[in-house]
Amino acid sequence: MREYLKFYIDGQWVDPTTPKTADVINPATEEVSGRISLASVADVEKAVAAAHRAFAPWSQTTREQRLELLQAIQAEYAKREKEIGEAITEEMGAPASLGGGFHIGLGAGHIATAIEVLKTFKFEERRGNTLLTKDPIGVCALITPWNWPMNQIAVKVLPALATGNTMVLKPPQLAPYSAQIFAEVLDKAGVPKGVFNMLQGSGAVVGAALSAHPRVDLVSITGSEAVGVEIAKTAAPTVKRVCQELGGKSAFIVLDDANFVANVAGATGGMMINSGQTCSAGSRLLVPKKRMAEAIAAAKEAAAAVSVGDPKGNVAMGPVVSKNQYNEVQRYIEIGIQEGAELVAGGPGRPDGLSKGYFCKPTVFANVRNDMTIAREEIFGPVLVIIGYDDIDHAVEIANDSDFGLAGYVNGADAAQCLAVARRLRTGWVSINGGFDFMAPFGGIKRSGNGREWGEHGFHEYVETKSLIEPAPAA
Ligand code: NAD
């Protein structure tokens, strides 16, 4: 049993102002795996006050001083990677190979990227008689989700630190363990007191109090559309910057000239990674209509090959994060069936042989219409929908016919054609034939949000441009 009952405020592990705890459930066993404290508004006041006090000195530190801290964080993180991976498996059910693999790798990748970007980031630029400086915004509230917990924490905390901000991190209540270890990493690395603070607790209390707080200058939220909207409303009276990284319903376009079976299989397997709980998942697979039967056969085989079970074991897919999430996924599978989509793999209920735990079946619907609920709403589970298109224009039209605009995928044999299709997608990020880059800005348009994280663009979220205008030189 894990017990994480203290918060990290002003460089110290402190007790809550008013003791209140919540159990953390292991989604694979449905049993209590530990306990955390839930912060109150009084704790938010303490954390924000500490971050506010620390801002003046931290914002004046040099690039070299911050680099030194980031490198110390990198070294401490490396020492704790195994523990972080195990915590992620326990808290949100990622298979050990994923928790100890891509999950911790994403965290390490964002730390390394922040170090690289900080080495050369332009904090100043002269334009004529004006000196433009990029100043830290101030106290940042960083509110993160449970689905890729270390990725989302690292991609906010490191750029915020690197650009001279102070912060309060509010990790998700469902996945609090990895965040706690991350806070220990920062403490060990010697982050000056008050620069980084962490409160565990609910969104409704801690997240809302941070969003409304007059001394918080920026809120960065990664989460659902509904919560992103709520935070923007709560933050509005204080005119702070709100960076939203929200949901998606991204199209994965397989072009006719692609290595078809391999691409459909890859897209199907990809959808099931992390039990489909990935904001940028290619959850709408677009294939030429005339090749629907081929796509169904390939997707069926790929879905059947996804092993599901105890995430501590050697499986490809663990449970979804919670009972609520399980019920949501089941609800969408039922809706898909009712709306007349063709169920070709998986379906309702748990996979055979699993009577406990929030396990879902890797599910594929084919011959889906883009106006069906399962093609429009983010399911956030292992459910892929396959939609047929007539030609490339039609594929682009379907891809863009979405309230979301986070990601896109284009796979095909002709690189120039893939790029041409990718240019036409109304999303913030498109991966072509599996492309991946830690330096590439990541974020959405439309209801997927307004933020850009990762690489140099991730730094721009945390700085304000200031003009220092000197007299123009005499002509
Ligand atoms: P969520 O919106 O329920 O919660 C996200 C965070 O917001 C949590 O820390 C939660 O406690 C907090 N919160 C909840 N209510 C709040 C309120 N009223 N005020 C302030 N904070 C509040 O999301 P989730 O279920 O944790 O994560 C899944 C969602 O996140 C999906 O929609 C997914 O697409 C999205 N997501 C987006 C990205 C991206 O980069 N665009 C990445 C990962 C996940």
Side-chain angles (χ1 to χ4, degrees):
M1 281 278 281
R2 294 173 191 258
E3 288 231 311
Y4 293 133
L5 301 180
K6 292 183 189 277
F7 307 133
Y8 190 70
I9 302 176
D10 214 10
Q12 312 238 322
W13 289 100
V14 300
D15 290 321
T17 309
T18 311
K20 187 174 178 192
T21 62
D23 289 340
V24 180
I25 307 294
N26 180 334
T29 61
E30 302 184 34
E31 278 159 19
V32 175
S33 68
R35 238 169 19 125
I36 57 164
S37 286
L38 299 180
S40 62
V41 172
D43 299 310
V44 171
E45 288 300 334
K46 287 180 187 167
V48 172
H52 185 73
R53 280 193 301 273
F55 180 70
W58 180 247
S59 62
Q60 297 306 309
T61 49
T62 62
R63 184 193 304 272
E64 288 66 32
Q65 285 169 316
R66 292 181 210 158
L67 262 175
E68 208 173 295
L69 177 66
L70 264 55
Q71 281 157 347
I73 292 170
Q74 187 175 41
E76 284 303 321
Y77 182 89
K79 289 184 205 158
R80 307 292 296 274
E81 279 189 351
K82 188 167 174 291
E83 265 174 88
I84 295 173
E86 286 164 1
I88 291 173
T89 294
E90 199 170 311
E91 65 193 3
M92 55 75 68
S97 56
L98 189 66
F102 201 38
H103 273 275
I104 53 170
L106 282 166
H110 292 309
I111 297 172
T113 303
I115 290 171
E116 277 320 295
V117 172
L118 179 55
K119 283 179 185 166
T120 56
F121 186 74
K122 266 195 191 174
F123 285 103
E124 289 192 8
E125 185 189 341
R126 180 161 282 285
R127 292 207 184 165
N129 56 322
T130 299
L131 182 67
L132 293 179
T133 63
K134 299 283 179 189
D135 292 3
I137 284 185
V139 175
C140 302
L142 309 178
I143 302 179
T144 59
W146 47 263
N147 63 323
W148 288 92
M150 200 40 52
N151 171 60
Q152 280 121 2
I153 289 175
V155 84
K156 294 188 194 303
V157 170
L158 273 293
L161 277 177
T163 45
N165 295 278
T166 60
M167 65 211 70
V168 181
L169 170 67
K170 207 286 299 165
Q173 204 180 317
L174 288 175
Y177 300 152
S178 52
Q180 199 85 14
I181 302 172
F182 185 83
E184 289 171 13
V185 164
L186 263 66
D187 180 49
K188 275 268 158 45
V191 60
K193 68 177 194 167
V195 170
F196 169 84
N197 306 274
M198 189 202 60
L199 298 172
Q200 301 277 12
S202 75
V205 175
V206 184
L210 286 169
S211 306
H213 205 292
R215 278 192 163 171
V216 170
D217 303 286
L218 172 150
V219 186
S220 177
I221 163 71
T222 298
S224 57
E225 182 193 337
V227 167
V229 169
E230 197 53 41
I231 288 178
K233 284 187 194 164
T234 311
T238 49
V239 201
K240 52 175 63 85
R241 184 183 290 185
V242 179
C243 307
Q244 296 161 316
E245 307 285 344
L246 311 178
K249 192 77 193 179
S250 302
F252 191 124
I253 303 177
V254 180
L255 297 174
D256 205 5
D257 65 357
N259 181 350
F260 198 73
V261 170
N263 273 290
V264 169
T268 308
M271 182 66 227
M272 309 308 165
I273 292 173
N274 216 36
S275 302
Q277 302 166 127
T278 301
C279 55
S280 54
S283 51
R284 290 182 296 149
L285 179 60
L286 273 49
V287 300
K289 246 184 212 159
K290 60 182 184 206
R291 303 187 73 173
M292 183 60 79
E294 232 180 303
I296 290 174
K300 209 170 166 171
E301 196 180 323
V306 176
S307 52
V308 187
D310 179 2
K312 285 187 176 159
N314 183 22
V315 294
M317 197 174 104
V320 295
V321 71
S322 64
K323 189 171 189 177
N324 278 348
Q325 195 68 20
Y326 176 84
N327 291 338
E328 271 296 279
V329 173
Q330 298 304 319
R331 186 174 73 82
Y332 277 113
I333 292 174
E334 294 295 349
I335 290 174
I337 294 168
Q338 280 159 24
E339 286 186 339
E342 184 185 342
L343 181 64
V344 297
R350 291 189 179 88
D352 290 344
L354 293 169
S355 54
K356 220 174 168 201
Y358 309 125
F359 296 97
C360 298
K361 294 179 187 168
T363 295
V364 179
F365 285 100
N367 284 308
V368 173
R369 287 194 327 269
N370 200 44
D371 63 355
M372 289 179 175
T373 309
I374 54 170
R376 303 219 66 85
E377 297 183 10
E378 184 183 50
I379 300 175
F380 228 53
V383 182
L384 178 70
V385 306
I386 310 183
I387 304 173
Y389 64 81
D390 299 323
D391 55 20
I392 287 182
D393 286 348
H394 191 211
V396 170
E397 186 189 318
I398 298 170
N400 289 340
D401 177 13
S402 172
D403 293 336
F404 296 105
L406 183 55
Y409 302 81
V410 182
N411 282 25
D414 178 345
Q417 188 180 44
C418 289
L419 191 59
V421 173
R423 283 181 192 278
R424 297 173 65 190
L425 298 187
R426 294 205 58 226
T427 66
W429 185 97
V430 185
S431 166
I432 301 169
N433 286 318
F436 181 83
D437 181 3
F438 272 109
M439 287 289 176
F442 180 90
I445 61 169
K446 300 197 265 181
R447 300 226 187 134
S448 294
N450 56 19
R452 288 294 176 275
E453 298 189 312
W454 300 47
E456 187 195 323
H457 280 73
F459 278 40
H460 287 287
E461 297 225 325
Y462 296 97
V463 292
E464 292 282 20
T465 302
K466 186 166 77 190
S467 301
L468 308 177
I469 311 158
E470 294 170 301

